[in-house]
């Protein structure tokens, strides 16, 4: 249930109490104890440790000084219930002038609250007798006297009941923290935006459309789709295992690693070499000590965890050690979903895999099954079924076979444990059980997988259980999941650069071509469209020109995707197949033995446009318009860039990686002094978190609160760089960002009606930047 719904239930209880006992609530102390205290804490959500009563000022003692996150936000002046505060008989919620006739009887209390606010630099106050509530801005920075402003007035509890959502917005901790009172008071004072202040862009949304592709271009797009699918390794295990990129520790890896070690795990080893020495050492230790281990391979999405584990056991583990390992890999991406039936599914998969590995792809024979359950066989022959064993061995064996079949069907998990223990005892192998892709599922599913994995480890003591997970997952499991109860060895896998991955994989493809393979062999296939080796040089040459030789493009792609390999390859594909890049012309140029040259400006346009003729925010998941405005209030197009600048400065001044984080409350306070509304700052931060320009300290955070710590990401860095230095980005945002200056819109449209040369684009850029500066001053 939402917090406001719980608050309404609490209010209904207090309302019913007041209707019955209002005559007994006489003094101010009664009003505070019986009504105001309960409304503030139980209904409006103010925490008791954030409420100070009777703090002194030069003007007297404040009845309530309410704070959140260490900052004073709200002053409440209390009166006895018998004190009349509203001079009109109208009983519905109204907005009255603070110094006007309707609030004549409240002037003394309003003046008191205003003096207290001034002494504590608190902008907002309420005057109440427990039944009547008056909210007003007591300290203003817009040149208006507080008495000339308006106040929100609820004459009685019935008025609150009928407009409870507004009451909650105006007086709750949540609402006051976001300064929602400004939304209501601005509207009544006539300073809020209205329908006469529309947001209009130079290029209307209707003029942004999907670009038409030629038949050849569509065919080329499908071919490139398959090419990039291959680059991810999904369809070519040889490429996947031979093109793993060794990742030196980076700044981002340092930050993630430091968070994990400081908050979650006492000791984390970083996987520094492509041979995976750290994991090999854990397996060797298991052999030496005859004790198993649970190993977590931690890395963000795109770090190559699956690839690392796959190639480690196939190619990098010493042959002698590899032969002593029974490698059982379970790909949870194949699970149909949900948690119901997960344990049974995992057990069945492990049984099938174990039997396949142990018995050369066939089912175990009767004698082999007898060996697995030899302890039971021996007990039967000497205990319960000794007579049958001695008199009719065939009947005994039939009965024992039925027992094994029943165990396999009715108790498959017990059967699996027996198979694994037999492998350890008789074959002297260590089961290495890998649970891959668990972090693609919800939290409760991951908990279930980890608990199952740990139960196997406990049942088969000499086993190595490997679980690749993201840093987000280990954070959640350690804070509120299975890792609170279980221990595991943690290895951290840093992220490779997108350019390094592309370069190594393209070189692999070229090497395959140089080896003189069968040119007619169909190397990649997709939906009946086939690519032969004859086509591959063209694709490799185009990708190489766009992303390898153009250094800054590969760097930008890596940063925009926060070095997530899979997302980086997806973005690369979107760029190379964008209509504006005219990839069909590039491929044709290759076959005509002409030089392939791609203008840097066109590559950036392909990045921004995608399949459209202009930048379209709704169709882009990698690039964010930093100049976008909130439609509901005055704000600056420079707010989002300014938030990034603040976080970048914080990062530059930090003495260590974790010093880059700053609470939202600090960010809000910084911009509050510039007149920015909390809700606007909050909306800007949430949007940048959504697009991954900013990251919370705790990666599982879904709601930004005042205490949420935030830092800039590589995507945030590259966005700030683009909005300062990259002409194409500024041009596109100038054309597509809705603003409120009709004069500016008309002047820019007049320029764009003519052929756009360098001079014209300079005018557009300068005009858009002056618009941002003008809006900042005017708001």
């Amino acid at each position: 249930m939402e917090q406001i719904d719980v608050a309404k239930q609490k209010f209904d209880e207090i309302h019913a109490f007041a209707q019955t006992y209002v005559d007994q609530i006489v003094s101010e102390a009664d009003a505070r104890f019986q009504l105001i205290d309960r409304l503030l804490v139980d209904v409006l959500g103010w925490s008791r440790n954030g409420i100070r009563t009777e703090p002194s000022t030069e003007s007297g003692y404040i009845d309530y000084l309410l704070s959140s996150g260490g900052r004073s936000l709200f002053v409440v002046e209390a009166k006895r219930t018998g004190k009349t505060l509203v001079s009109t008989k109208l009983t519905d919620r109204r907005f009255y002038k603070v110094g006007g006739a309707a609030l004549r009887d409240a002037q003394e209390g309003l003046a008191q609250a205003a003096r207290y606010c001034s002494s504590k630099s608190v902008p907002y106050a309420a005057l109440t007798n427990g039944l009547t509530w008056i909210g007003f801005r007591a300290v203003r920075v817009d040149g208006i006297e507080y008495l000339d402003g308006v106040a929100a007035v609820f004459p009685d509890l019935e008025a609150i009941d009928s407009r409870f959502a507004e009451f909650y917005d105006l007086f709750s901790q949540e609402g006051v923290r976001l300064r929602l009172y400004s939304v209501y008071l601005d509207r009544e004072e006539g300073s809020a935006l209205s329908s006469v202040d529309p947001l209009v862009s130079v290029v209307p949304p209707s003029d942004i459309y999907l670009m038409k592709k030629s038949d050849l271009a569509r065919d080329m797009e499908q071919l490139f789709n398959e090419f990039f699918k291959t680059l991810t390794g999904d369809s070519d295990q040889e490429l996947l295992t031979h093109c793993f990129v060794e990742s030196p520790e980076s700044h981002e890896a340092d930050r993630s690693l430091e968070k994990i070690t400081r908050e979650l795990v006492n000791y984390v080893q970083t996987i520094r070499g492509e041979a995976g020495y750290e994991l090999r050492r854990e397996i060797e230790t298991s052999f030496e000590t005859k004790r198993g281990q649970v190993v977590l391979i931690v890395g963000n999405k795109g770090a190559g965890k699956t690839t690392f584990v796959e190639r480690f056991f196939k190619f990098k583990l010493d042959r002698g050690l590899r032969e002593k390992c029974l490698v059982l890999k379970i790909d949870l991406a194949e699970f149909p979903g949900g948690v119901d039936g997960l344990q049974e599914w995992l057990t069945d998969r492990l049984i099938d895999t174990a039997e396949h590995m142990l018995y050369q792809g066939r089912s175990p024979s009767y004698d082999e099954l007898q060996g697995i359950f030899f302890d039971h066989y021996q007990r039967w022959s000497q205990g319960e079924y000794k007579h049958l064993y001695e008199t009719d061995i065939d009947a005994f064996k039939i009965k024992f076979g039925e027992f094994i079949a029943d165990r396999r069907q009715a108790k498959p998990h017990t059967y699996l444990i027996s198979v694994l223990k037999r492998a350890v005892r008789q074959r002297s192998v260590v089961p290495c059980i890998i649970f891959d892709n668990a972090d693609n599922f919800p939290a409760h599913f991951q908990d279930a997988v980890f608990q199952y994995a740990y139960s196997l480890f406990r049942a088969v003591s000499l086993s190595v259980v490997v679980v690749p997970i993201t840093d987000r997952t280990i954070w959640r499991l350690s804070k509120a999941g299975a890792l609170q109860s279980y221990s595991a060895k943690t290895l951290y896998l840093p992220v490779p650069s997108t350019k390094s991955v592309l370069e190594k994989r393209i070189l692999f493809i070229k090497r395959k071509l140089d080896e003189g393979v069968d040119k007619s062999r169909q190397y990649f296939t997709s939906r009946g469209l086939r690519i032969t080796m004859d086509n591959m040089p063209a694709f490799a040459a185009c990708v190489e020109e766009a992303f390898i030789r153009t250094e800054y493009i590969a760097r930008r792609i890596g940063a925009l995707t926060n070095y997530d390999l899979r997302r980086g390859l997806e973005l690369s594909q979107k760029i190379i197949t964008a209509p504006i890049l005219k990839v069909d012309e590039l491929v044709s140029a290759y076959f005509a033995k002409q030089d392939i040259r791609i203008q840097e400006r066109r590559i950036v346009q392909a990045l921004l446009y995608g399949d459209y003729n202009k930048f379209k925010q709704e169709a882009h998941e990698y690039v964010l318009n930093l100049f976008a405005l909130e439609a509901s209030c005055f704000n600056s197009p420079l707010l989002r860039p300014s938030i990034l600048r603040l976080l970048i400065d914080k990062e530059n001044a930090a003495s260590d990686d974790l010093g880059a984080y700053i609470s939202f409350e600090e960010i809000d306070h910084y911009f509050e002094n510039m007149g920015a509304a909390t809700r606007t700052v909050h909306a800007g931060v949430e949007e940048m978190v959504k697009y991954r320009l900013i990251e919370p300290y705790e990666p599982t955070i879904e709601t930004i609160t005042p205490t949420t710590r935030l830092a800039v990401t590589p995507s945030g860095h590259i966005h700030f760089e683009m909005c300062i230095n990259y002409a194409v980005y500024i041009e596109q945002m100038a054309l597509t960002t809705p603003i409120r200056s009709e004069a500016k819109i008309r002047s820019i449209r007049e320029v764009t009606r003519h052929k756009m040369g360098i001079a014209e684009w300079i005018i557009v850029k300068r005009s858009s930047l002056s618009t941002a500066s003008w809006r900042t001053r005017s708001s």
Side-chain angles (χ1 to χ4, degrees), residues 71-72 177 220 244 251 266 327 348 357 374 481 539 544 621 634 637 754 757 760 773:
R71 287 178 56 210
S72 299
R177 191 181 69 234
M220 290 296 102
F244 181 80
H251 173 73
N266 289 332
V327 181
D348 288 342
M357 298 295 293
F374 182 75
F539 305 126
E544 189 172 34
E621 62 176 299
F634 280 117
H754 304 89
E760 286 73 21
S773 300

Side-chain angles (χ1 to χ4, degrees), residues 734-751:
L735 296 178
T736 59
T737 303
I739 61 174
R740 296 189 174 92
S741 173
E742 292 187 15
K744 287 292 181 182
I745 292 293
R746 287 195 299 270
S747 66
I748 297 175
R749 282 180 177 173
E750 184 61 33
V751 174

Side-chain angles (χ1 to χ4, degrees), residues 366-531:
Y366 183 95
D367 290 340
E368 288 166 336
L369 288 170
Q370 179 180 310
I372 294 173
F373 293 94
F374 182 75
D375 290 344
H376 291 81
Y377 187 92
Q378 194 170 38
R379 172 177 172 147
W380 278 31
S381 65
Q382 297 175 6
E384 297 95 322
Y385 298 101
K386 177 181 179 181
H387 179 70
L388 182 62
Y389 176 78
E390 292 176 345
T391 59
D392 192 342
I393 187 64
D394 290 336
F396 176 88
K397 288 189 174 184
I398 291 172
K399 193 171 186 66
F400 190 74
E402 292 172 348
F403 160 76
I404 297 174
D406 180 70
R407 183 60 60 94
R408 173 68 176 84
Q409 296 298 321
K411 297 182 178 180
H413 191 264
T414 304
Y415 177 85
L416 172 63
I417 298 302
S418 299
V419 170
L420 296 180
K421 285 184 174 180
R422 171 72 176 182
V424 171
R425 186 172 59 248
Q426 296 298 322
R427 301 199 181 201
S428 299
V429 297
V430 171
C432 295
I433 308 169
I434 305 160
F435 295 89
D436 199 14
N437 289 319
D439 48 18
N440 291 337
F441 290 86
H444 63 284
F445 182 94
Q446 297 173 38
D447 271 337
V449 171
F450 191 82
Q451 289 168 11
Y452 180 90
Y454 205 86
S455 72
L456 275 185
F457 162 69
R458 293 293 298 270
V460 186
S461 58
L462 183 54
S463 62
V464 176
V465 176
V466 180
V467 185
I469 59 175
T470 63
D471 48 357
R472 180 186 179 92
T473 299
I474 191 176
W475 190 280
R476 193 200 56 75
L477 288 175
S478 298
K479 291 288 187 179
L483 284 180
Q484 287 188 315
S485 304
Y486 309 127
S487 61
K489 183 75 174 183
T490 306
L491 303 180
Y492 187 83
L493 186 66
V495 187
S497 72
T498 304
K499 181 189 175 187
S500 300
V501 173
L502 283 168
E503 190 169 31
K504 196 164 185 178
R505 297 186 181 196
I506 290 171
L507 287 175
F508 171 79
I509 292 172
K510 286 186 169 184
R511 180 170 63 80
K512 297 293 290 184
L513 295 171
D514 293 340
E515 289 176 355
V517 296
D518 180 6
K519 299 293 185 180
S520 64
R521 184 165 68 88
Q522 295 169 2
Y523 194 67
F524 310 114
T525 63
S526 175
R527 299 179 182 177
L529 185 66
R530 300 185 176 104
I531 303 174

